[in-house]
Structure formats: C-alpha cells, structure tokens
Amino acid sequence: MSKIAIVILNWNGELLLESYLPSVVEHSGNADIYVADNASTDGSVGFLKKNYPQVKIIQNNINGGFAKGYNDALKHVDADIFCLLNSDVEVSENWLPPIEKIFAENPDIAIVQPKVLDLMRKEYFEYAGAAGGFIDQLGYPFCRGRIFQALEKDEGQYDDIREIFWATGACMFIRRTVFEKLGGFDEAYFAHQEEVDLCWRAKNEGYKVFYVGTSKVYHLGGSTLSNMNPKKTYLNFRNSLFSITKNLPRRKALVIILIRLLLDGVAALRFVLQFKFSHCAAILRAHLSFYRQFGKMYGKREKANFILKYYVVKSIVWSHFVHQIEKFSDLVKD
C-alpha cells in the first residue's frame, strides 16, 4: 500500500485548524499529517505544538501563496502520494480507503479528488471542486455539481468513479513522482487555478485525473478569498489565460486567447452594469499582468503531445447564461 501524507497549507489559520484539524486526525488512519505554515503571524504554530504533537510542522520562510507554499513544503514530505488539503476542510469517516484503492489498482491514474460538499449546507456541492472539474473549449473551468454560482443538491447523482479534467486544490491527491516530474505548481499563479494548470500538464504527459464519489469531504470555502473578492477575480481571469497559453497547440492557443480577450471585455462591461467597478478594474489588471508575462508563459509550454480533446462543451458561458443550463447532467450526456 502506498504511503499517503496529508499536507495542510496554513496562513494565519489558527481558528480553522482548531475547527477542522480534529476530523483529519480522527479519520485519517495511518496517513502522516503535516501542516505547512506559510510564515503565519498568529498563534498557529504554537497551537499545533501544544495540542497536536503528532502533527508534523513545516515552516516556510515566506507566504508564497498556494503554489510556492506547497512547492516548498512538499520537498520535506516523505510519501508516495501527497494529499493537499485546505485548512477549512472537514473530512468524513473512511474517506481515505476508496482513494487508496484507486491508486493501488490503477498505476496510470496520477491525480484524484473526492466528492466536495458544502460544510454549511452539507446536502449541496461546494463551489471549489464539487464532483470533479472540467473546462470548455475556451478554457473556462466548471464542475459537475457547480456551474458558475449554480450549486446542485447532492442526491447521489455523482456517486460514481470517473475520469475528470482537473481536480480541486481544496483536496487533491497526487503521486509524488508525477508532482516532481511536472515541477510542481507554477508559482507565477500565486493562487487560484494552479491546480487546473497542473492537471492539464499532467494530461499532456499522458496521465489520468479521476474523481472518486465514494469518498467525501466538506469544505467551508472562501476562508482565503471569497468568490466575490476582486483579487480572486483578478487571479482567476489572469491565470486562466496563463493556462491556455501554456497548454494548447500554438495556433489554437492564440485563437482562443483572442476570443477570450473579447469575452473578458464583455464580462468587465457586465460588472460595470452591476456597479461592481472593483471587479471590472480587476479584469483590466489581469489583462495587463497577462500581457507583461505572455513571453514568460509562452516559454513554459510543455514539450509534449498536446491533447486536442480537452473540453466537454464548446462554451459554458453560452450554455449557462443563454440557455440557462445549471446542471452538468443537462449539459453533458455521459
């Protein structure tokens, strides 16, 4: 059986650790548990040393965000499989055995996520990951169980085990060998959608990403940045363009980027009409940052056979906002 290490990235999250770490300690069997602290200034480290001496602490020198935080921390973790777990996640009893089983039986599966439900409304899927991530032809991410802000009720419709396109960083399992081969997360992302990029690069290398609906966790969400925070808008719009630039064949990437620039302009106008001027400004800043770093991102393109069938729908924006589709089952017929 492969050795699993659960690694929780923390930044000034003492209260989150106090609330959600107990479930991880109680229900994680023989897995090693680490907290990677991103130079917190609160009492996080002292709290861990006093109350959870069995939890191993990795102290990063700076707060480098999600991407650099994990890249730095995982160099100090001895395990076959890393579980990257948000500090605001409550795990359930027997959440690990289904994950261990799929890795043991399928050596070509590199990345796995469980079912992610809303901690505050446990009968509903949660925004970050839900029942597995996908993207449309233009690179917009969405999930089974969550299309934009429309969240489905969990009625067992996604209790399956199936291949997906990307796994959520809120609870992602990845083989150590694959993480290292891919060079970890792209630190230019800082936070948000770095897991989409990582999974896309893994798929370009021929690895598989899976969802295991027989394992479930509950995510609080928004503990770092809420869904309506302008900084999150900035990171999501910019980082999505980064991923397209890096992971598609050159001609296709350039065409899609041009289309995205137009659509992002429409999104900015929509924010203006909603009087959300800070979000409009965030999109403008995202584009300026993308233009400045385009050459750098283009230089990171993987020397791999780019997968051409990376999407399950041509436009999630058109499907949702024009055709009013809110459920994955109405969008894609499995």
Side-chain angles (χ1 to χ4, degrees), residues 22-37:
S23 72
V24 180
V25 172
E26 180 179 0
H27 297 309
S28 298
N30 295 323
D32 291 333
I33 302 173
Y34 294 76
V35 170
D37 187 74

Side-chain angles (χ1 to χ4, degrees), residues 13-291:
E14 180 181 359
L15 294 179
L16 294 175
L17 293 172
E18 184 177 352
S19 298
Y20 306 115
L21 184 57
S23 72
V24 180
V25 172
E26 180 179 0
H27 297 309
S28 298
N30 295 323
D32 291 333
I33 302 173
Y34 294 76
V35 170
D37 187 74
N38 258 1
S40 293
T41 55
D42 67 353
S44 297
V45 173
F47 168 79
L48 290 169
K49 289 180 178 179
K50 179 181 178 180
N51 296 282
Y52 293 96
Q54 73 273 41
V55 172
K56 302 174 184 179
I57 302 172
I58 301 169
Q59 293 184 264
N60 292 331
N61 294 325
I62 63 171
N63 176 22
F66 185 97
K68 180 173 175 56
Y70 268 121
N71 284 352
D72 289 347
L74 294 178
K75 296 173 184 176
H76 305 285
V77 176
D78 178 22
D80 303 305
I81 296 168
F82 299 140
C83 170
L84 315 185
L85 186 70
N86 274 20
S87 59
D88 59 350
V89 170
E90 176 183 288
V91 305
S92 63
E93 187 176 1
N94 295 319
W95 71 298
L96 284 181
I99 304 292
E100 293 171 328
K101 185 174 186 291
I102 195 169
F103 275 119
E105 296 178 354
N106 301 275
D108 58 335
I109 293 178
I111 302 172
V112 172
Q113 79 154 75
K115 178 191 291 188
V116 183
L117 298 171
D118 190 327
L119 185 63
M120 295 295 99
R121 298 190 306 164
K122 290 189 173 182
E123 69 275 22
Y124 283 87
F125 288 96
E126 207 275 326
Y127 181 89
F134 295 86
I135 58 174
D136 72 359
Q137 189 174 14
L138 300 177
Y140 288 108
F142 61 98
C143 303
R144 290 201 303 169
R146 187 271 294 174
I147 298 177
F148 291 100
Q149 301 298 320
L151 297 170
E152 293 184 43
K153 189 173 184 179
D154 177 22
E155 297 177 324
Q157 69 272 40
Y158 304 129
D159 283 353
D160 55 355
I161 297 174
R162 64 158 290 172
E163 189 168 6
I164 56 176
F165 189 77
W166 59 270
T168 175
C171 185
M172 170 193 283
F173 293 80
I174 182 168
R175 294 186 190 273
R176 179 194 187 116
T177 53
V178 175
F179 188 83
E180 292 177 346
K181 180 178 180 180
L182 296 173
F185 292 111
D186 186 334
E187 296 178 10
Y189 284 58
F190 185 79
H192 298 294
Q193 295 202 33
E194 63 281 282
E195 75 266 54
V196 178
D197 170 65
L198 184 73
C199 291
W200 203 336
R201 288 188 282 128
K203 281 184 166 287
N204 279 342
E205 292 290 340
Y207 296 109
K208 293 181 179 179
V209 182
F210 260 69
Y211 161 82
V212 178
T214 50
S215 170
K216 62 184 177 183
V217 300
Y218 301 93
H219 185 213
L220 177 63
S223 58
T224 304
L225 289 176
S226 72
N227 292 332
M228 294 311 296
N229 186 300
K231 186 173 183 180
K232 185 167 186 177
T233 298
Y234 162 75
L235 290 169
N236 278 335
F237 274 79
R238 186 198 66 173
N239 293 351
S240 182
L241 292 171
F242 282 172
S243 294
I244 293 167
T245 303
K246 292 171 58 181
N247 294 303
L248 284 177
R250 180 177 59 187
R251 182 177 297 179
K252 190 173 188 66
L254 293 176
V255 169
I256 289 179
I257 287 170
L258 289 175
I259 296 172
R260 281 292 301 269
L261 299 184
L262 293 172
L263 291 177
D264 288 359
V266 173
L269 178 60
R270 185 168 180 263
F271 279 131
V272 169
L273 296 176
Q274 295 173 337
F275 301 101
K276 296 178 180 178
F277 302 112
S278 60
H279 290 272
C280 177
I283 294 177
L284 176 60
R285 288 190 296 109
H287 278 244
L288 291 175
S289 178
F290 171 67
Y291 302 148

